[in-house]
Amino acid sequence: SLEKYNAGFHGSQQTPWVATTGTLNVGTQSESFVGDDSLTRFVSFNNAHLPFLNQSKNVLVSMYYPNWDYQIMGASFPGVRLIFPLESFDETEVFQNWVIGRENNSYVA
């Protein structure tokens, strides 16, 4: 992870963190839309805004909080997508707002 790397700002084609259990990768991506209706054109910037990161040993906290003063082409920032290939893990569990996966003896949540 890259702590304190432009947190809250636009991060086109930048991925400041990724977790792996060996052969499987897990990550997040913020998304943006242009327009206000249901036919809105989706615009993927890879990261419309970069997360605030804090890591201690093998534990990472990633928090998305956009800098609202920094707008890109009138885009709004509706959410964050979790990239977590559930079907590829040996075992998975979804509990409240947590997704936990196991590959061999490695875990990610």
Side-chain angles (χ1 to χ4, degrees):
S1 69
L2 299 171
E3 292 185 58
K4 299 179 181 142
Y5 181 74
N6 298 330
F9 289 95
H10 174 64
S12 180
Q13 301 179 4
Q14 299 171 23
T15 305
W17 79 272
V18 66
T20 181
T21 55
T23 63
L24 302 174
N25 296 326
V26 172
T28 54
Q29 179 181 40
S30 62
E31 301 171 337
S32 65
F33 291 86
V34 176
D36 295 325
D37 59 33
S38 62
L39 301 176
T40 299
R41 181 173 64 95
F42 171 70
V43 178
S44 175
F45 291 112
N46 189 25
N47 266 308
H49 56 276
L50 293 168
F52 292 80
L53 300 172
N54 193 350
Q55 184 168 355
S56 178
K57 298 183 182 177
N58 65 342
V59 177
L60 170 76
V61 175
S62 174
M63 180 183 76
Y64 282 86
Y65 186 78
N67 180 346
W68 294 107
D69 294 332
Y70 187 72
Q71 293 292 314
I72 306 156
M73 298 182 295
S76 62
F77 306 121
V80 175
R81 178 171 45 143
L82 174 64
I83 302 164
F84 199 112
L86 288 169
E87 66 285 344
S88 299
F89 283 92
D90 298 330
E91 182 179 2
T92 58
E93 183 73 33
V94 177
F95 177 73
Q96 294 178 357
N97 290 332
W98 287 89
V99 180
I100 304 163
R102 178 184 67 81
E103 179 189 22
N104 298 318
N105 291 324
S106 299
Y107 294 83
V108 65

